[in-house]
Coordinates of all heavy atoms in Angstrom, one line a residue:
S246 N -159.1 114.3 10.7 CA -159.9 114.4 11.9 C -159.3 115.6 12.8 O -158.1 115.8 12.9 CB -159.7 113.1 12.8 OG -160.2 112.0 12.0
W247 N -160.2 116.3 13.4 CA -159.8 117.3 14.3 C -159.4 116.7 15.6 O -160.1 115.9 16.1 CB -161.0 118.3 14.5 CG -160.6 119.4 15.5 CD1 -159.8 120.4 15.3 CD2 -161.1 119.5 16.8 NE1 -159.7 121.2 16.5 CE2 -160.5 120.6 17.4 CE3 -162.0 118.7 17.6 CZ2 -160.8 121.0 18.7 CZ3 -162.2 119.1 18.9 CH2 -161.6 120.3 19.5
G248 N -158.2 117.1 16.1 CA -157.8 116.6 17.3 C -156.3 116.7 17.4 O -155.6 117.1 16.5
G249 N -155.8 116.4 18.6 CA -154.3 116.4 18.8 C -153.9 115.7 20.1 O -154.8 115.3 20.9
E250 N -152.7 115.7 20.3 CA -152.1 115.0 21.5 C -152.0 115.9 22.7 O -151.7 115.5 23.8 CB -150.8 114.4 21.2 CG -150.9 113.3 20.1 CD -149.6 112.7 19.7 OE1 -148.6 112.9 20.4 OE2 -149.6 112.0 18.7
T251 N -152.3 117.2 22.5 CA -152.2 118.2 23.6 C -153.5 118.3 24.4 O -154.5 118.6 23.8 CB -151.8 119.5 23.1 OG1 -150.6 119.4 22.4 CG2 -151.6 120.5 24.3
Y252 N -153.4 118.0 25.7 CA -154.6 118.1 26.6 C -154.9 119.6 26.8 O -154.0 120.4 27.0 CB -154.2 117.5 27.9 CG -155.3 117.7 29.0 CD1 -156.4 116.8 29.1 CD2 -155.3 118.7 29.9 CE1 -157.4 117.0 30.0 CE2 -156.3 118.9 30.8 CZ -157.3 118.0 30.9 OH -158.3 118.2 31.8
S253 N -156.2 119.9 26.7 CA -156.7 121.3 27.0 C -157.7 121.2 28.1 O -158.8 120.6 28.0 CB -157.3 121.8 25.7 OG -158.1 123.0 26.1
A254 N -157.3 121.8 29.3 CA -158.3 121.8 30.4 C -159.6 122.6 30.0 O -160.7 122.2 30.4 CB -157.6 122.5 31.6
A255 N -159.4 123.7 29.2 CA -160.6 124.4 28.8 C -161.6 123.6 28.0 O -162.8 123.6 28.2 CB -160.2 125.7 28.1
L256 N -161.0 122.9 27.0 CA -161.9 122.0 26.2 C -162.5 120.9 27.0 O -163.7 120.6 26.8 CB -161.1 121.5 25.0 CG -161.9 120.6 24.0 CD1 -163.1 121.4 23.4 CD2 -161.0 120.1 22.9
H257 N -161.7 120.3 27.9 CA -162.2 119.2 28.7 C -163.4 119.8 29.5 O -164.5 119.1 29.6 CB -161.1 118.7 29.6 CG -161.5 117.5 30.4 ND1 -160.6 116.9 31.3 CD2 -162.7 116.8 30.5 CE1 -161.2 115.9 31.8 NE2 -162.5 115.8 31.4
Q258 N -163.2 120.9 30.1 CA -164.3 121.5 30.9 C -165.5 121.9 30.1 O -166.6 121.6 30.5 CB -163.8 122.8 31.6 CG -164.7 123.5 32.5 CD -164.1 124.7 33.2 OE1 -163.3 125.4 32.7 NE2 -164.6 124.9 34.4
A259 N -165.3 122.4 28.9 CA -166.4 122.7 28.0 C -167.2 121.4 27.6 O -168.5 121.4 27.6 CB -166.0 123.4 26.8
L260 N -166.5 120.4 27.3 CA -167.2 119.1 26.9 C -167.9 118.5 28.1 O -169.0 117.9 28.0 CB -166.2 118.2 26.2 CG -165.7 118.6 24.9 CD1 -164.6 117.6 24.4 CD2 -166.8 118.8 23.9
S261 N -167.3 118.6 29.3 CA -167.9 118.1 30.5 C -169.2 118.8 30.8 O -170.2 118.2 31.2 CB -166.9 118.2 31.7 OG -165.8 117.3 31.5
Y262 N -169.1 120.1 30.6 CA -170.3 121.0 30.8 C -171.4 120.5 29.8 O -172.6 120.4 30.2 CB -170.0 122.4 30.6 CG -171.2 123.3 30.7 CD1 -171.7 123.7 32.0 CD2 -171.8 123.8 29.6 CE1 -172.9 124.5 32.1 CE2 -173.0 124.6 29.7 CZ -173.5 124.9 30.9 OH -174.6 125.7 31.0
A263 N -171.1 120.3 28.6 CA -172.0 119.9 27.6 C -172.6 118.5 28.0 O -173.9 118.4 27.9 CB -171.4 119.8 26.2
Y264 N -171.8 117.6 28.5 CA -172.3 116.3 28.9 C -173.3 116.5 30.1 O -174.3 115.8 30.1 CB -171.2 115.4 29.3 CG -171.6 114.2 30.0 CD1 -172.3 113.1 29.3 CD2 -171.4 114.0 31.4 CE1 -172.7 112.0 30.0 CE2 -171.9 112.8 32.0 CZ -172.5 111.9 31.3 OH -173.0 110.7 31.9
S265 N -173.0 117.4 31.0 CA -173.9 117.6 32.2 C -175.2 118.2 31.7 O -176.2 118.2 32.5 CB -173.2 118.6 33.2 OG -173.2 119.9 32.7
R266 N -175.3 118.7 30.5 CA -176.5 119.2 29.9 C -177.2 118.3 28.9 O -177.9 118.7 28.1 CB -176.3 120.6 29.3 CG -175.8 121.7 30.2 CD -176.8 122.1 31.2 NE -176.5 123.2 32.0 CZ -176.1 123.2 33.3 NH1 -176.1 122.0 33.9 NH2 -175.8 124.2 33.9
S267 N -176.8 117.0 29.1 CA -177.3 115.9 28.2 C -177.0 116.0 26.8 O -177.7 115.5 25.9 CB -178.9 115.8 28.4 OG -179.2 115.6 29.8
V268 N -175.8 116.6 26.4 CA -175.4 116.6 25.1 C -174.5 115.3 24.8 O -173.7 115.0 25.6 CB -174.5 117.9 24.8 CG1 -173.9 117.8 23.4 CG2 -175.3 119.1 25.0
T269 N -174.8 114.7 23.7 CA -174.0 113.5 23.3 C -172.8 114.1 22.5 O -172.9 114.8 21.6 CB -174.9 112.6 22.3 OG1 -176.0 112.1 23.1 CG2 -174.0 111.4 21.9
I270 N -171.6 113.6 22.9 CA -170.4 114.1 22.3 C -169.8 112.9 21.5 O -169.5 111.8 22.1 CB -169.4 114.5 23.4 CG1 -170.0 115.7 24.2 CG2 -168.1 115.0 22.7 CD1 -169.4 115.9 25.6
V271 N -169.6 113.1 20.2 CA -169.0 112.1 19.3 C -167.7 112.7 18.8 O -167.7 113.8 18.3 CB -170.0 111.8 18.2 CG1 -169.4 110.7 17.3 CG2 -171.3 111.3 18.7
A272 N -166.6 112.0 18.9 CA -165.3 112.4 18.5 C -164.6 111.4 17.6 O -164.8 110.2 17.8 CB -164.4 112.7 19.7
A273 N -163.9 111.9 16.6 CA -163.1 111.0 15.8 C -162.0 110.4 16.6 O -161.3 111.1 17.3 CB -162.6 111.8 14.6
A274 N -161.7 109.1 16.5 CA -160.7 108.4 17.2 C -159.3 108.9 16.7 O -158.3 108.9 17.4 CB -160.8 106.9 17.1
G275 N -159.2 109.3 15.4 CA -157.9 109.7 14.9 C -157.5 108.8 13.7 O -157.9 107.7 13.6
N276 N -156.6 109.4 12.9 CA -156.1 108.7 11.7 C -154.6 108.4 11.7 O -154.0 108.4 10.6 CB -156.5 109.6 10.5 CG -157.9 109.9 10.4 OD1 -158.7 109.0 10.6 ND2 -158.3 111.1 9.9
K277 N -154.0 108.1 12.8 CA -152.6 107.8 12.9 C -152.3 106.4 13.1 O -151.1 106.0 13.3 CB -152.0 108.7 13.9 CG -152.0 110.2 13.6 CD -151.3 111.0 14.7 CE -151.3 112.4 14.3 NZ -150.4 113.2 15.1
G278 N -153.3 105.5 13.2 CA -153.0 104.1 13.4 C -152.5 103.8 14.8 O -151.8 102.8 15.0
R279 N -152.8 104.6 15.8 CA -152.2 104.5 17.1 C -153.2 104.0 18.1 O -154.4 104.1 17.9 CB -151.7 105.8 17.6 CG -150.5 106.3 16.8 CD -150.1 107.6 17.5 NE -149.0 108.2 16.7 CZ -148.5 109.4 16.9 NH1 -149.0 110.2 17.9 NH2 -147.5 109.9 16.2
N280 N -152.7 103.5 19.2 CA -153.6 103.1 20.3 C -153.8 104.3 21.2 O -152.9 104.8 21.9 CB -152.8 102.0 21.1 CG -153.7 101.4 22.2 OD1 -154.7 102.0 22.7 ND2 -153.3 100.2 22.7
N281 N -155.1 104.7 21.3 CA -155.4 105.9 22.1 C -155.3 105.6 23.6 O -155.3 106.5 24.4 CB -156.8 106.4 21.8 CG -156.9 107.2 20.5 OD1 -155.8 107.3 19.8 ND2 -158.0 107.6 20.1
D282 N -155.3 104.3 24.0 CA -155.1 104.0 25.4 C -153.7 104.4 25.9 O -153.6 104.8 27.0 CB -155.3 102.5 25.6 CG -156.7 102.0 25.4 OD1 -157.7 102.9 25.3 OD2 -157.0 100.8 25.4
S283 N -152.7 104.2 25.0 CA -151.3 104.6 25.4 C -150.9 105.9 24.9 O -150.0 106.5 25.6 CB -150.4 103.5 24.9 OG -150.5 103.3 23.5
T284 N -151.4 106.4 23.8 CA -151.1 107.8 23.3 C -152.4 108.5 23.1 O -153.0 108.4 22.0 CB -150.3 107.7 22.0 OG1 -149.2 106.9 22.2 CG2 -149.9 109.0 21.5
P285 N -152.9 109.2 24.1 CA -154.3 109.8 24.0 C -154.3 110.8 22.8 O -153.4 111.5 22.5 CB -154.5 110.5 25.3 CG -153.5 109.8 26.2 CD -152.4 109.4 25.4
L286 N -155.5 110.8 22.2 CA -155.8 111.9 21.1 C -157.0 112.6 21.6 O -158.0 111.9 21.9 CB -156.0 111.2 19.8 CG -156.3 112.2 18.7 CD1 -154.9 112.7 18.1 CD2 -157.1 111.7 17.6
Y287 N -156.9 113.9 21.7 CA -158.1 114.7 22.3 C -158.8 115.4 21.1 O -158.1 115.8 20.1 CB -157.5 115.7 23.3 CG -156.8 115.1 24.4 CD1 -155.4 115.0 24.5 CD2 -157.5 114.4 25.4 CE1 -154.8 114.4 25.5 CE2 -156.9 113.8 26.5 CZ -155.5 113.8 26.5 OH -154.9 113.2 27.6
P288 N -160.1 115.5 21.1 CA -160.9 115.3 22.3 C -161.4 113.9 22.5 O -162.1 113.6 23.5 CB -162.1 116.2 22.0 CG -162.2 116.2 20.5 CD -160.8 116.1 20.0
A289 N -161.1 112.9 21.6 CA -161.6 111.5 21.8 C -161.2 110.9 23.1 O -162.0 110.1 23.6 CB -161.1 110.7 20.6
S290 N -160.1 111.3 23.7 CA -159.6 110.6 24.9 C -160.0 111.3 26.2 O -159.5 110.9 27.3 CB -158.1 110.4 24.8 OG -157.8 109.5 23.7
Y291 N -160.8 112.4 26.2 CA -161.2 113.0 27.4 C -162.0 112.0 28.2 O -162.9 111.3 27.6 CB -162.0 114.3 27.2 CG -161.1 115.4 26.8 CD1 -161.4 116.1 25.6 CD2 -160.1 115.9 27.6 CE1 -160.6 117.1 25.2 CE2 -159.3 116.9 27.2 CZ -159.5 117.6 26.0 OH -158.8 118.6 25.6
P292 N -161.8 111.9 29.5 CA -162.6 110.9 30.3 C -164.0 111.5 30.7 O -164.2 111.8 31.8 CB -161.7 110.7 31.6 CG -161.0 112.0 31.7 CD -160.8 112.5 30.3
I293 N -164.8 111.6 29.7 CA -166.2 112.1 29.9 C -167.1 110.9 29.6 O -167.1 110.3 28.6 CB -166.5 113.2 28.9 CG1 -165.5 114.4 29.2 CG2 -167.9 113.7 29.0 CD1 -165.5 115.5 28.1
P294 N -168.0 110.6 30.6 CA -168.8 109.3 30.5 C -169.6 109.2 29.2 O -169.7 108.2 28.6 CB -169.8 109.4 31.7 CG -169.1 110.3 32.6 CD -168.2 111.3 31.8
G295 N -170.2 110.3 28.7 CA -171.0 110.2 27.5 C -170.3 110.4 26.2 O -170.9 110.4 25.1
L296 N -169.0 110.6 26.2 CA -168.2 110.8 25.0 C -168.1 109.5 24.2 O -167.7 108.4 24.8 CB -166.8 111.3 25.3 CG -166.0 111.8 24.1 CD1 -165.2 113.0 24.5 CD2 -165.1 110.7 23.6
I297 N -168.4 109.5 22.9 CA -168.3 108.3 22.0 C -167.1 108.6 21.1 O -167.2 109.5 20.2 CB -169.6 108.1 21.3 CG1 -170.7 107.9 22.3 CG2 -169.4 106.9 20.4 CD1 -172.1 108.0 21.7
A298 N -166.1 107.8 21.1 CA -164.9 107.9 20.2 C -165.1 106.9 19.1 O -165.4 105.7 19.4 CB -163.6 107.7 20.9
V299 N -165.0 107.3 17.8 CA -165.4 106.5 16.7 C -164.1 106.2 15.8 O -163.4 107.1 15.4 CB -166.4 107.2 15.8 CG1 -166.8 106.3 14.7 CG2 -167.6 107.6 16.6
A300 N -163.9 104.9 15.6 CA -162.8 104.4 14.7 C -163.4 104.2 13.3 O -164.6 104.4 13.1 CB -162.2 103.1 15.3
A301 N -162.5 103.9 12.4 CA -163.0 103.7 11.0 C -162.8 102.2 10.6 O -161.8 101.6 11.0 CB -162.2 104.6 10.0
T302 N -163.8 101.7 9.8 CA -163.7 100.4 9.3 C -163.6 100.4 7.7 O -164.1 101.4 7.1 CB -164.9 99.5 9.7 OG1 -166.1 100.1 9.3 CG2 -164.9 99.3 11.2
S303 N -163.2 99.3 7.2 CA -163.1 99.2 5.7 C -164.5 98.6 5.2 O -165.3 98.2 6.0 CB -162.0 98.2 5.3 OG -162.2 96.9 5.8
D304 N -164.6 98.4 3.9 CA -165.8 97.7 3.4 C -165.9 96.3 3.8 O -167.0 95.7 3.6 CB -165.8 97.9 1.9 CG -164.7 97.3 1.2 OD1 -163.7 96.8 1.8 OD2 -164.7 97.3 -0.1
S305 N -164.8 95.7 4.3 CA -164.9 94.3 4.8 C -165.1 94.3 6.3 O -164.9 93.2 7.0 CB -163.7 93.5 4.4 OG -162.5 94.1 5.0
D306 N -165.5 95.4 6.9 CA -165.8 95.6 8.3 C -164.6 95.3 9.2 O -164.7 94.8 10.3 CB -167.0 94.7 8.7 CG -167.6 95.2 10.0 OD1 -167.6 96.5 10.3 OD2 -168.2 94.5 10.7
Q307 N -163.4 95.5 8.7 CA -162.1 95.4 9.5 C -161.7 96.8 9.8 O -161.9 97.8 9.1 CB -161.1 94.7 8.7 CG -161.4 93.3 8.3 CD -161.7 92.4 9.5 OE1 -160.9 92.3 10.4 NE2 -162.9 91.8 9.5
L308 N -160.9 96.9 10.9 CA -160.4 98.2 11.3 C -159.5 98.8 10.2 O -158.7 98.1 9.6 CB -159.5 98.1 12.6 CG -159.0 99.4 13.2 CD1 -160.1 100.3 13.7 CD2 -158.0 99.1 14.2
A309 N -159.8 100.0 9.8 CA -159.0 100.6 8.7 C -157.5 100.8 9.2 O -157.2 101.0 10.3 CB -159.6 102.0 8.4
S310 N -156.6 100.6 8.2 CA -155.2 100.6 8.6 C -154.7 101.9 9.2 O -153.8 101.9 10.1 CB -154.3 100.3 7.3 OG -154.6 101.4 6.4
F311 N -155.4 103.0 8.9 CA -155.0 104.3 9.4 C -155.7 104.7 10.7 O -155.3 105.6 11.4 CB -155.3 105.4 8.4 CG -156.8 105.4 8.0 CD1 -157.7 106.1 8.8 CD2 -157.2 104.8 6.8 CE1 -159.0 106.1 8.4 CE2 -158.5 104.8 6.5 CZ -159.4 105.4 7.3
S312 N -156.7 103.9 11.1 CA -157.6 104.3 12.2 C -156.9 104.1 13.5 O -156.3 103.0 13.8 CB -158.9 103.5 12.1 OG -159.8 103.8 13.2
N313 N -157.1 105.1 14.4 CA -156.7 104.9 15.8 C -157.7 103.9 16.4 O -158.8 103.7 15.9 CB -156.7 106.2 16.6 CG -155.6 107.1 16.3 OD1 -154.9 106.9 15.2 ND2 -155.4 108.1 17.1
Y314 N -157.3 103.3 17.5 CA -158.0 102.3 18.2 C -157.8 102.4 19.7 O -156.9 103.2 20.1 CB -157.7 100.9 17.7 CG -156.2 100.6 17.8 CD1 -155.7 100.0 18.9 CD2 -155.3 101.0 16.8 CE1 -154.3 99.7 19.0 CE2 -154.0 100.8 16.9 CZ -153.5 100.1 18.0 OH -152.1 99.9 18.1
G315 N -158.4 101.6 20.5 CA -158.1 101.5 21.9 C -159.2 100.7 22.6 O -160.4 101.1 22.6
K316 N -158.8 99.7 23.3 CA -159.8 98.8 24.0 C -160.6 99.6 25.0 O -161.8 99.4 25.2 CB -159.0 97.7 24.7 CG -159.9 96.7 25.4 CD -159.1 95.5 26.0 CE -160.0 94.5 26.6 NZ -159.3 93.4 27.1
L317 N -160.0 100.6 25.7 CA -160.7 101.4 26.7 C -161.2 102.7 26.2 O -162.2 103.2 26.7 CB -159.8 101.6 27.9 CG -159.2 100.3 28.6 CD1 -158.2 100.7 29.7 CD2 -160.4 99.5 29.2
S318 N -160.5 103.3 25.2 CA -160.8 104.6 24.8 C -161.6 104.8 23.5 O -162.0 105.9 23.2 CB -159.5 105.4 24.8 OG -158.6 104.8 23.8
V319 N -161.7 103.8 22.7 CA -162.5 103.9 21.5 C -163.7 103.0 21.6 O -163.6 101.8 21.9 CB -161.6 103.5 20.2 CG1 -162.4 103.6 19.0 CG2 -160.4 104.5 20.1
H320 N -164.9 103.5 21.3 CA -166.1 102.8 21.7 C -166.8 102.1 20.5 O -167.4 101.1 20.7 CB -167.0 103.8 22.3 CG -166.4 104.6 23.4 ND1 -165.9 105.9 23.3 CD2 -166.0 104.2 24.7 CE1 -165.3 106.2 24.4 NE2 -165.4 105.2 25.3
V321 N -166.8 102.7 19.4 CA -167.5 102.1 18.2 C -166.7 102.4 17.0 O -165.7 103.2 17.0 CB -168.9 102.7 18.0 CG1 -169.8 102.4 19.2 CG2 -168.9 104.2 17.7
A322 N -167.0 101.7 15.9 CA -166.4 101.9 14.6 C -167.5 102.0 13.5 O -168.6 101.5 13.7 CB -165.4 100.8 14.2
A323 N -167.2 102.8 12.5 CA -168.1 103.0 11.4 C -167.4 103.0 10.1 O -166.1 103.2 10.1 CB -168.8 104.4 11.6
P324 N -168.1 102.8 9.0 CA -167.4 102.9 7.7 C -166.6 104.2 7.5 O -167.1 105.3 7.8 CB -168.5 102.8 6.7 CG -169.6 102.1 7.4 CD -169.5 102.6 8.8
G325 N -165.3 104.0 7.1 CA -164.5 105.2 7.0 C -163.5 105.1 5.9 O -162.5 105.9 5.8
V326 N -163.6 104.2 5.0 CA -162.7 104.0 3.8 C -163.4 104.3 2.5 O -164.5 103.6 2.3 CB -162.0 102.6 3.8 CG1 -161.1 102.5 2.6 CG2 -161.2 102.5 5.1
S327 N -163.0 105.2 1.7 CA -163.6 105.5 0.4 C -165.1 105.8 0.6 O -165.9 105.2 -0.2 CB -163.3 104.4 -0.6 OG -161.9 104.3 -0.8
V328 N -165.4 106.7 1.4 CA -166.8 107.1 1.6 C -167.1 108.3 0.8 O -166.3 109.3 0.8 CB -167.1 107.5 3.1 CG1 -168.5 108.0 3.3 CG2 -166.8 106.3 4.0
A329 N -168.2 108.3 0.0 CA -168.6 109.4 -0.8 C -168.9 110.6 0.0 O -169.7 110.5 1.0 CB -169.8 109.1 -1.7
S330 N -168.3 111.8 -0.3 CA -168.5 113.0 0.5 C -168.7 114.2 -0.5 O -168.1 114.2 -1.6 CB -167.3 113.2 1.4 OG -167.5 114.3 2.2
T331 N -169.5 115.1 -0.1 CA -169.6 116.3 -0.9 C -168.4 117.2 -0.7 O -167.8 117.2 0.4 CB -170.8 117.2 -0.5 OG1 -170.8 117.4 0.9 CG2 -172.1 116.4 -0.8
V332 N -168.0 117.9 -1.8 CA -166.8 118.8 -1.7 C -167.2 120.1 -2.4 O -168.2 120.1 -3.2 CB -165.6 118.1 -2.4 CG1 -165.1 116.9 -1.6 CG2 -165.9 117.8 -3.9
P333 N -166.5 121.1 -2.2 CA -166.8 122.4 -2.8 C -166.9 122.3 -4.3 O -166.2 121.5 -5.0 CB -165.6 123.3 -2.4 CG -165.1 122.7 -1.1 CD -165.3 121.2 -1.3
G334 N -167.8 123.1 -4.9 CA -168.1 123.1 -6.3 C -169.2 122.2 -6.7 O -169.4 121.9 -7.9
N335 N -170.0 121.7 -5.7 CA -171.1 120.8 -6.0 C -170.7 119.5 -6.6 O -171.3 119.0 -7.5 CB -172.1 121.6 -6.9 CG -173.5 121.0 -6.7 OD1 -173.9 120.4 -5.7 ND2 -174.3 121.1 -7.8
F336 N -169.6 118.9 -6.0 CA -169.1 117.6 -6.5 C -169.0 116.6 -5.4 O -169.2 117.0 -4.2 CB -167.7 117.8 -7.1 CG -167.6 118.6 -8.3 CD1 -167.2 120.0 -8.2 CD2 -168.0 118.1 -9.6 CE1 -167.2 120.8 -9.4 CE2 -168.0 118.9 -10.7 CZ -167.5 120.2 -10.6
Y337 N -168.8 115.4 -5.7 CA -168.5 114.3 -4.8 C -167.1 113.9 -4.9 O -166.5 113.9 -6.0 CB -169.5 113.1 -5.0 CG -170.9 113.4 -4.6 CD1 -171.8 113.8 -5.6 CD2 -171.3 113.2 -3.3 CE1 -173.1 114.0 -5.2 CE2 -172.6 113.5 -3.0 CZ -173.5 113.9 -3.9 OH -174.8 114.1 -3.6
S338 N -166.6 113.4 -3.8 CA -165.2 112.8 -3.8 C -165.2 111.7 -2.8 O -166.0 111.7 -1.8 CB -164.2 113.9 -3.4 OG -162.9 113.3 -3.4
Y339 N -164.4 110.7 -3.0 CA -164.3 109.6 -2.1 C -163.2 109.9 -1.1 O -162.0 110.1 -1.5 CB -164.0 108.3 -2.8 CG -165.3 107.8 -3.6 CD1 -165.5 108.2 -4.9 CD2 -166.3 107.1 -2.9 CE1 -166.6 107.8 -5.6 CE2 -167.4 106.7 -3.6 CZ -167.6 107.1 -4.9 OH -168.7 106.7 -5.6
M340 N -163.5 109.8 0.2 CA -162.6 110.2 1.2 C -162.5 109.1 2.3 O -163.4 108.4 2.4 CB -163.0 111.6 1.8 CG -163.1 112.6 0.7 SD -163.7 114.2 1.4 CE -162.1 114.9 1.7
S341 N -161.4 109.2 3.1 CA -161.3 108.2 4.1 C -160.9 108.9 5.4 O -160.2 110.0 5.4 CB -160.2 107.2 3.8 OG -160.5 106.5 2.7
G342 N -161.3 108.4 6.6 CA -161.0 109.0 7.8 C -161.9 108.6 8.9 O -163.0 107.9 8.7
T343 N -161.6 109.0 10.1 CA -162.5 108.7 11.3 C -163.5 109.9 11.5 O -164.3 109.8 12.4 CB -161.7 108.4 12.6 OG1 -160.9 109.6 12.9 CG2 -160.8 107.2 12.4
S344 N -163.4 111.0 10.8 CA -164.3 112.1 11.0 C -165.6 111.8 10.4 O -165.8 111.3 9.3 CB -163.7 113.3 10.4 OG -162.5 113.7 11.0

């Protein structure tokens, strides 16, 4: 997942501007198994009203062991374990993550 623990005022401003123009912002919650409420991961943790932070679930609809979470900062979860994905060379590979 793209993101990090370093706050960027420029990125926050850019995403806030996008939100003010009715853009829906969806961000990966992160793949470190951490609570984003106590250890923010950006861009998922920017306080932008329309931002949707997405965690990963397993095939049994449980939070994936690697997925970040947060009662206040992560909004939804979606399948994220062993998901078929296209890879270079016109192939498929099974991948996991919140992205």
Side-chain angles (χ1 to χ4, degrees):
S246 300
W247 176 71
E250 296 176 15
T251 303
Y252 174 87
S253 166
L256 182 56
H257 187 180
Q258 185 177 28
L260 293 176
S261 294
Y262 176 80
Y264 170 71
S265 76
R266 299 292 188 252
S267 301
V268 173
T269 300
I270 303 161
V271 180
N276 299 325
K277 294 185 176 187
R279 295 184 183 169
N280 185 340
N281 285 0
D282 292 348
S283 57
T284 305
L286 183 84
Y287 301 102
S290 295
Y291 286 122
I293 299 169
L296 188 146
I297 302 166
V299 183
T302 59
S303 67
D304 60 354
S305 61
D306 203 28
Q307 299 299 306
L308 185 69
S310 61
F311 59 81
S312 182
N313 285 16
Y314 55 92
K316 184 175 182 179
L317 301 175
S318 59
V319 177
H320 308 100
V321 298
V326 176
S327 296
V328 176
S330 181
T331 56
V332 295
N335 203 26
F336 295 102
Y337 288 96
S338 181
Y339 289 92
M340 306 176 91
S341 298
T343 60
S344 297

